[in-house]
Amino acid sequence: MTRISLIGCGRWGTFLGWYVANYGKCDGVDMYDIPTSPNFIELKNTRKNPYLSLSDNMELFDNIPAILKNDFIIVSIGCQYFRGLCKELSAYDLEGKTFLLAMKGLEEPSGKRMLEIMREEISQNIHIATLGGPGHVQDYMRGVPSAAVVDSDEEDTKEYVINIMQSQLIRLYYGEDLIGNQIGAAMKNVIGLAAGILDGLEWYGLKGALMARAPVEVGRLIKFFGGNPMTAYGLSHLGDYEATLFSKNSHNRMFGEKFARGEDFGKLAEGVPTLKAVKLLADEHGIDMPISQALYQAIYEKGNIKEIITKLFERSLKREFS
């Protein structure tokens, strides 16, 4: 066994590092973040954050070359910073290394998936997999099990990642739609914003309708990019609804709830920039995405939230499955 690397010491990234260090088939984890990151500074000074304490086989580094000696690298940073990271990584020898992208979002304004960005910026022969599915750090640290999906355009890469990371805490499934799983994972954050807004308005009765209709809309976007629209009903999207649409630990749901109440959330909610990218894609290509369009009107155009939602659910008086 060898050591594994992690880029990104935020809430999710630090957990993934801890998880692999304690549950994975490896000797330990080398973690990197920029030295000015508040998350990194906290870990460096105390070896813990509000959710967990680093185990003895986890080491912190403030320079990228130190963690590129390992062959398996997990990446968990804000999606809008990923292209910049890839440009930086491209200057190093990455030949043959495997990257697991654990971010769930689309680049704004390009609307591109994280794997697309990495392929554009890094021309070397690397292996890339993606991770999607439900789960919150707070639940995992209490021993609450969940499931996730690993996908790649290489079967051997899926096998490699799952073999290292499979455990009783997180059951990993083999993905069969790389495009659909990336888009589904990104879009569950957008739908989380909508769920939070309904919570903030105390219009809970509409969350069932949201859950029923949202995968249909997401499926249209997946189909446009060449994926299987049924993937919207899998772990990366619908399977993540409990964690994203209902949990108090969901940043996207909480952003929406506070937004509906006129309050500032003050933390990263990946669904917000992803929503902007989706709106641009829908407009440019004529994709019917009424939930996303309504969210954009509310969040970016500061429209009347109650009026927007009312019009959304009144827009189509037709048979449910037509």
Side-chain angles (χ1 to χ4, degrees), residues 33 38-39 63 65 105 108 122 137 145 148 156 172-173 175 196 201 208 236 248 257 288 302:
D33 209 329
N39 295 318
N63 65 94
E108 187 274 313
I122 299 175
V137 175
D156 288 347
L172 296 171
Y173 287 82
L201 296 175
S236 68
K248 67 180 184 300
E257 180 176 334
D288 185 24
K302 309 302 181 185

Side-chain angles (χ1 to χ4, degrees), residues 31-148:
M31 304 171 62
Y32 161 79
D33 209 329
I34 56 176
T36 56
S37 162
N39 295 318
F40 183 81
I41 292 171
E42 181 179 29
L43 290 173
K44 193 78 172 176
N45 291 337
T46 68
R47 289 193 61 81
K48 65 181 181 180
N49 64 18
Y51 313 102
L52 58 84
S53 295
L54 302 184
S55 51
D56 291 340
N57 61 346
M58 301 172 71
E59 294 189 36
L60 296 165
F61 297 91
D62 61 7
N63 65 94
I64 284 182
I67 59 101
L68 291 182
K69 61 183 180 293
N70 301 325
D71 291 330
F72 181 29
I73 302 166
I74 301 170
V75 185
S76 179
I77 67 171
C79 292
Q80 307 312 313
Y81 302 102
F82 185 56
R83 188 178 292 276
L85 172 66
C86 289
K87 289 179 183 293
E88 187 174 358
L89 287 172
S90 67
Y92 300 96
D93 180 11
L94 308 175
E95 195 71 19
K97 295 188 184 298
T98 297
F99 290 84
L100 177 65
L101 308 184
M103 305 90 74
K104 302 170 182 177
L106 300 177
E107 186 183 45
E108 187 274 313
S110 73
K112 291 187 175 180
R113 293 168 280 122
M114 299 300 103
L115 188 143
E116 286 183 284
I117 294 168
M118 195 165 209
R119 291 293 190 202
E120 286 180 359
E121 299 296 340
I122 299 175
S123 59
Q124 301 175 58
N125 178 35
I126 59 175
H127 310 287
I128 308 174
T130 63
L131 178 69
H136 284 295
V137 175
Q138 295 90 326
D139 294 329
Y140 282 134
M141 295 308 297
R142 291 190 293 112
V144 179
S146 189

Side-chain angles (χ1 to χ4, degrees), residues 67-287:
I67 59 101
L68 291 182
K69 61 183 180 293
N70 301 325
D71 291 330
F72 181 29
I73 302 166
I74 301 170
V75 185
S76 179
I77 67 171
C79 292
Q80 307 312 313
Y81 302 102
F82 185 56
R83 188 178 292 276
L85 172 66
C86 289
K87 289 179 183 293
E88 187 174 358
L89 287 172
S90 67
Y92 300 96
D93 180 11
L94 308 175
E95 195 71 19
K97 295 188 184 298
T98 297
F99 290 84
L100 177 65
L101 308 184
M103 305 90 74
K104 302 170 182 177
L106 300 177
E107 186 183 45
E108 187 274 313
S110 73
K112 291 187 175 180
R113 293 168 280 122
M114 299 300 103
L115 188 143
E116 286 183 284
I117 294 168
M118 195 165 209
R119 291 293 190 202
E120 286 180 359
E121 299 296 340
I122 299 175
S123 59
Q124 301 175 58
N125 178 35
I126 59 175
H127 310 287
I128 308 174
T130 63
L131 178 69
H136 284 295
V137 175
Q138 295 90 326
D139 294 329
Y140 282 134
M141 295 308 297
R142 291 190 293 112
V144 179
S146 189
V149 58
V150 172
D151 216 336
S152 174
D153 52 11
E154 301 170 331
E155 289 298 320
D156 288 347
T157 299
K158 283 186 270 188
E159 182 81 29
Y160 174 71
V161 171
I162 290 175
N163 183 59
I164 289 174
M165 298 183 64
Q166 183 76 274
S167 79
Q168 292 183 336
L169 184 62
I170 305 180
R171 177 177 173 82
L172 296 171
Y173 287 82
Y174 290 80
E176 297 180 334
D177 179 12
L178 183 56
I179 292 173
N181 278 317
Q182 290 174 88
I183 294 173
M187 285 300 298
K188 64 94 182 179
N189 289 332
V190 173
I191 306 306
L193 301 174
I197 288 175
L198 294 177
D199 287 340
L201 296 175
E202 298 187 358
W203 286 10
Y204 316 115
L206 291 176
K207 288 181 80 171
L210 175 67
M211 291 190 296
R213 300 309 302 168
V216 178
E217 175 168 322
V218 174
R220 293 190 194 110
L221 187 62
I222 291 173
K223 184 178 181 180
F224 170 79
F225 280 105
N228 182 353
M230 292 303 296
T231 303
Y233 297 89
L235 274 172
S236 68
H237 187 73
L238 181 61
D240 208 337
Y241 274 11
E242 188 281 329
T244 306
L245 275 63
F246 290 92
S247 174
K248 67 180 184 300
N249 299 319
S250 167
H251 281 187
N252 292 284
R253 192 205 64 77
M254 186 56 72
F255 177 96
E257 180 176 334
K258 286 187 173 292
F259 179 82
R261 294 175 178 172
E263 303 170 5
D264 181 33
F265 179 46
K267 295 181 181 179
L268 174 67
E270 286 284 11
V272 178
T274 296
L275 171 62
K276 194 170 186 179
V278 170
K279 170 68 161 55
L280 292 171
L281 287 170
D283 288 349
E284 181 179 355
H285 302 288
I287 308 169

